[in-house]
Amino acid sequence: MKKLLIIFISAVILILVVQVIPVHRNESPIPGGKSFVNQFNVPNNVNRILERSCYDCHSNQTNYPWYGNIQPTALLLDNHISEGKKKLNFDEFQDYGKRRLRTKYTEIVKQIEQDKMPITSYLWLHPEARISETEKKLLIQYFQIQ
Ligand code: HEC
């Protein structure tokens, strides 16, 4: 019993201590009118799906859940976001060259066709981000003709 209490107290102390790690927020402003939607004339129905299912990790604006404010979950989220953004950031599409854009479009179609995105662990906590078969078709069609 005493052992359990010590483990419990240590866990609480550990959680309190890790709170000193600063929480990094992915909330940099999008330079006026330069967002993907404005720049590329993305239809509303496509943008709504991207906003709901992709932008948390692939844009400059993450919609944070409550556990995004506490450590160590904030660090885990930040890791996913920075990895995702490094590979693909919709808010930076206007700075990508033609060839890079083409590669990204092909990559998006591939990831959606293979059900690789949004990543599974994200879907556990964000079931609303799951994309239906109809939405999948819509996204694939949109990115194939770009
Ligand atoms: C929880 C965060 C998260 C969400 C939400 C998410 N992604 Fe990703 N995405 C990642 C991470 C992390 C990587 C890099 C690691 C990998 O390839 O698995 C990635 C990689 C990618 C890549 C590969 C880019 C390249 O050039 O290699 C594409 C394309 C992509 N995501 C598209 C999407 C689309 C489309 C959606 C929405 C339907 C989406 N992602 C939702 C985290 C996310």
Side-chain angles (χ1 to χ4, degrees):
M1 209 46 215
K2 206 169 159 206
K3 227 181 185 168
L4 265 181
L5 190 67
I6 292 172
I7 291 175
F8 177 75
I9 292 173
S10 315
V12 170
I13 291 174
L14 194 66
I15 287 179
L16 288 176
V17 167
V18 293
Q19 300 315 311
V20 302
I21 304 173
V23 173
H24 171 256
R25 310 281 285 183
N26 176 37
E27 289 173 336
S28 41
I30 305 161
K34 276 187 116 192
S35 73
F36 176 57
V37 195
N38 290 338
Q39 201 85 358
F40 291 80
N41 263 326
V42 187
N44 265 340
N45 54 355
V46 171
N47 189 49
R48 262 200 305 273
I49 309 171
L50 298 177
E51 215 170 342
R52 195 190 74 216
S53 307
C54 317
Y55 284 2
D56 269 359
C57 305
H58 294 293
S59 83
N60 288 338
Q61 295 286 322
T62 299
N63 207 348
Y64 282 94
W66 61 268
Y67 50 83
N69 290 318
I70 48 170
Q71 298 293 10
T73 41
L75 265 183
L76 292 174
L77 288 186
D78 198 38
N79 191 32
H80 264 161
I81 295 165
S82 53
E83 278 297 300
K85 265 177 69 173
K86 219 169 17 192
K87 295 254 168 141
L88 178 85
N89 183 348
F90 283 103
D91 288 330
E92 282 173 2
F93 267 33
Q94 75 277 3
D95 300 326
Y96 290 2
K98 271 221 165 69
R99 193 189 289 175
R100 183 153 189 224
L101 266 182
R102 188 133 309 280
T103 315
K104 293 300 166 192
Y105 288 143
T106 312
E107 200 53 50
I108 292 172
V109 170
K110 208 166 85 191
Q111 298 276 340
I112 294 175
E113 272 175 344
Q114 298 175 354
D115 285 324
K116 288 203 173 143
M117 288 288 146
I119 44 185
T120 316
S121 59
Y122 177 77
L123 289 175
W124 293 336
L125 293 163
H126 296 85
E128 76 287 349
R130 196 174 293 280
I131 41 183
S132 69
E133 285 305 311
T134 326
E135 290 172 330
K136 258 172 77 172
K137 282 207 189 94
L138 186 73
L139 288 183
I140 292 171
Q141 210 175 26
Y142 173 76
F143 284 108
Q144 264 172 347
I145 57 161
Q146 295 309 306

